[in-house]
Amino acid sequence: MAILVTGGAGFIGSNFVLDWLAEREEEVVTLDLLTYAGNPENLAPVAENPRHLLVVGDIADEMLVGRLLREHQIRAVIHFAAESHVDRSIVGPEAFIQTNVVGTFRLLRAVLSYWQELPLEKRQAFRFVQVSTDEVYGTLGPEDPPFRESTPYAPNSPYAASKAAADHLVRAFHRTYGLPTLTTNCSNNYGPRQFPEKLIPLCLTRALSGETLPIYGDGQQIRDWLYVGDHCAAIRRILDAGRVGEVYNIGGCNEQTNLAVVQQLCAVLDLLRPRADGRSYREQIAFVADRPGHDRRYAIDATKIREELGWQPRETFLSGLKKTVAWYLENEEWLHRVQSGAYREWVERQYGEGRIEKKE
Ligand code: NAD
Ligand code: DAU
């Protein structure tokens, strides 16, 4: 028996795989297409681990997914794979429809066909976890209560709309065919291995190279930040004890404006890697044009997962931020290879022809 993790070479997926292999005995099969956001180096610590297999391929490839499910007797699928960056979805939404909607649909269809063949006991124990986002709920006013699991969907970006569509398909596969699904809606993650196009790693890397730190609009947009390790722990808990067919919101209870986030990042950098001229990185902050359709505020009510499953975040924003900055400072080679595109060359050499499996 094993679990199948889609998108396990990305930011959250790789953290999930590493934590899983450190904490559990069970095998992991990672299925990842290695798009620009997928980096096998994220999984380097488990490259030689006999309990891990990286398969390079598309979630939309039903034949491949079906084969992996059967060959490895998969007992749970944790579905992270997605196009995940809002700004890219504004410039080029089609890839988001292809992977997040069509890809999720085909993945579900392959999983359903496998699940229907399982003996009763294994069918009952099987789980499909859809890893979704708080962005499907749309935007909040300053006085609105945080998103609950019952908040109606109102996605505002092509990314959020594609994730909402995927969540609806997951729900439909549960209600119509009985597939044992669970859906999680999580707030903004930060931590090691996040691709430097998202706010925190983008500003961190630009700070170090002496560039401006771009803040969209007035910087007063609010997000609820959660350390990635806490998100991974929540998913493990939901997989172990969540009720089938349910939705669980996951959040850090940590609402911050974007400006405050970047200012705190600068303060941590000032401590851990002071600028050569002794001045603060805050001086590099610059306000730039806003994101079209920019959601003003997200906030998560995580009462359900706390009361039902006993999960709550372990990191404070400051402790998580210090860990994150320390990881990037200790892994500047990772960053250089990502920024220079060198890791893409390596991916092409290693996995280019015919999308091969790494280990057999
Ligand atoms: P990411 O962009 O870092 O990683 C996505 C991974 O999916 C990459 O490794 C990529 O190669 C892979 N992938 C893309 N298309 C694929 C395909 N067709 N087949 C197989 N693999 C494919 O994303 P992330 O930030 O780690 O997010 C992971 C999941 O969590 C996403 O579903 C996202 O919607 C959700 N989520 C993210 C956040 C956040 O703050 N980052 C918060 C809540 C939910
Ligand atoms: O809320 C969960 C979502 O968080 C996930 O579903 C997405 O996959 C993930 O990318 C993230 O989406 P955001 O759009 O919130 O993340 P991003 O890091 O792109 O932006 C965070 C905030 O910072 C947002 O309000 C936009 C702002 N921002 C972002 C960038 C890249 C800036 O002000 N400047 C920037 O350069």
Side-chain angles (χ1 to χ4, degrees), residues 146-168:
F147 301 130
R148 297 181 62 92
E149 287 79 1
S150 54
T151 303
Y153 273 28
N156 290 323
S157 70
Y159 162 70
S162 67
K163 290 295 290 186
D167 296 357
H168 290 323

Side-chain angles (χ1 to χ4, degrees), residues 13 71 98 103 141 148 207 209 211 283 294-295 325 327 336 347:
E71 270 182 19
Q98 184 54 39
R148 297 181 62 92
S209 52
E211 295 168 281
E283 293 186 11
H294 199 169
D295 287 336
V325 173
W327 186 87
H336 289 146
V347 164

Side-chain angles (χ1 to χ4, degrees), residues 1-78:
M1 300 288 276
I3 61 165
L4 176 68
V5 175
T6 74
F11 162 49
I12 307 175
S14 62
N15 278 280
F16 182 85
V17 170
L18 297 181
D19 289 357
W20 182 276
L21 289 167
E23 294 204 357
R24 308 272 172 118
E25 299 301 317
E26 203 172 8
E27 290 177 18
V28 179
V29 178
T30 296
L31 173 62
D32 198 298
L33 189 57
L34 299 185
T35 67
Y36 79 94
N39 183 353
E41 223 179 305
N42 290 343
L43 295 168
V46 293
E48 303 304 323
N49 188 324
R51 288 190 294 123
H52 181 247
L53 175 70
L54 170 62
V55 179
V56 182
D58 195 332
I59 53 165
D61 182 344
E62 285 179 69
M63 293 271 283
L64 172 63
V65 173
R67 178 169 72 74
L68 294 176
L69 291 167
R70 287 176 184 87
E71 270 182 19
H72 298 278
Q73 297 182 50
I74 297 297
R75 64 110 184 154
V77 176
I78 322 299

